[in-house]
Amino acid sequence: MATPYVTDETGGKYIASTQRPDGTWRKQRRVKEGYVPQEEVPVYENKYVKFFKSKPELPPGLSPEATAPVTPSRPEGGEPGLSKTAKRNLKRKEKRRQQQEKGEAEALSRTLEKVSLGETAQPPSAPQGSRAAPAAASDQPDSATTTEKAKKIKNLKKKLRQVEELQQRIQAGEISQPSKEQLEKLARRRALEVELEDLELGL
């Protein structure tokens, strides 16, 4: 906001008196020639700021007419403003999506045929959920159970190794008084061996 100036008959300039928020008045002040109020002083800009402000937005040699936005014309039988390659890519995507849907439909029909074949073998009293479960279970091999057995065998062998090490340390005299847990571990040795033999025979 520009400062309100008052000029008197002698030609001097004054800043008009103003009222404070509490109701008191400020005196009018004489302004010397060439005085510029603080709010009217231009903001200082260094040479770099001036350079970047004066720098043209377009690259050198490019005319402003070339950058004018072109209204997209709708080409025949396609999306507005798409190039040939973009149209080709859209067609490919659409084709892939249709093939995928077709493949999913075929897979679904195959599984339905398997389920319907499985239904004829089962008695009609069996519920719907139990009919579908055996078909899914027969498709999957018993690889999960074999890996589970292998893990158990590995775990049992590790426990037996620990028991043997503990027994050797007690016999060597490294452990003079074994703790309750150590004694329980030694007592479990025979049970671990039997369990390991059963699992190895079952594989």
Side-chain angles (χ1 to χ4, degrees), residues 126-189:
Q128 191 74 17
S130 63
R131 289 177 187 170
S138 62
D139 292 346
Q140 200 176 38
D142 294 335
S143 62
T145 54
T146 53
T147 52
E148 207 172 299
K149 279 185 181 179
K151 281 182 183 179
K152 281 185 180 178
I153 289 171
K154 188 178 177 184
N155 198 8
L156 287 170
K157 284 182 179 178
K158 183 181 174 184
K159 284 180 182 177
L160 279 170
R161 236 190 347 265
Q162 288 174 347
V163 170
E164 285 171 10
E165 285 174 12
L166 181 64
Q167 198 166 9
Q168 287 173 1
R169 285 172 68 191
I170 289 171
Q171 287 173 353
E174 289 179 31
I175 301 171
S176 57
Q177 288 187 335
S179 67
K180 186 181 175 184
E181 290 86 15
Q182 289 172 335
L183 289 171
E184 285 175 4
K185 202 181 253 190
L186 288 170
R188 274 200 311 261
R189 181 177 181 168

Side-chain angles (χ1 to χ4, degrees), residues 15 71 80 93 162 192 200:
I15 295 176
T71 54
K93 281 181 185 176
Q162 288 174 347
L192 289 170
E200 283 177 341

Side-chain angles (χ1 to χ4, degrees), residues 72-91 94:
S73 60
R74 184 179 283 270
E76 293 177 17
E79 293 289 319
L82 288 179
S83 64
K84 287 182 181 179
T85 52
K87 287 178 197 171
R88 210 177 303 136
N89 288 340
L90 272 175
K91 284 181 185 176
E94 187 64 31

Side-chain angles (χ1 to χ4, degrees), residues 4-124:
Y5 291 112
V6 177
T7 52
D8 62 356
E9 58 276 349
T10 57
K13 272 188 179 179
Y14 292 92
I15 295 176
S17 59
T18 54
Q19 193 173 12
R20 296 188 185 100
D22 64 351
T24 58
W25 286 87
R26 294 182 190 92
K27 285 192 232 174
Q28 72 177 26
R29 291 177 287 155
R30 182 171 179 151
V31 178
K32 291 183 182 174
E33 201 59 47
Y35 170 76
V36 180
Q38 187 67 40
E39 58 268 9
E40 292 176 16
V41 175
V43 178
Y44 171 74
E45 292 178 341
N46 63 25
K47 60 182 178 181
Y48 298 107
V49 173
K50 285 179 184 172
F51 170 73
F52 282 110
K53 279 191 176 178
S54 65
K55 191 176 169 188
E57 291 180 21
L58 303 174
L62 185 65
S63 65
E65 293 86 34
T67 59
V70 180
T71 54
S73 60
R74 184 179 283 270
E76 293 177 17
E79 293 289 319
L82 288 179
S83 64
K84 287 182 181 179
T85 52
K87 287 178 197 171
R88 210 177 303 136
N89 288 340
L90 272 175
K91 284 181 185 176
R92 284 181 189 160
K93 281 181 185 176
E94 187 64 31
K95 207 173 192 179
R96 257 190 246 124
R97 192 174 58 79
Q98 287 174 353
Q99 285 176 349
Q100 197 173 13
E101 286 174 359
K102 189 178 176 184
E104 286 173 1
E106 287 175 6
L108 187 63
S109 63
R110 270 189 254 129
T111 52
L112 285 172
E113 285 172 13
K114 286 179 185 176
V115 170
S116 62
L117 290 173
E119 282 178 5
T120 55
Q122 286 186 353

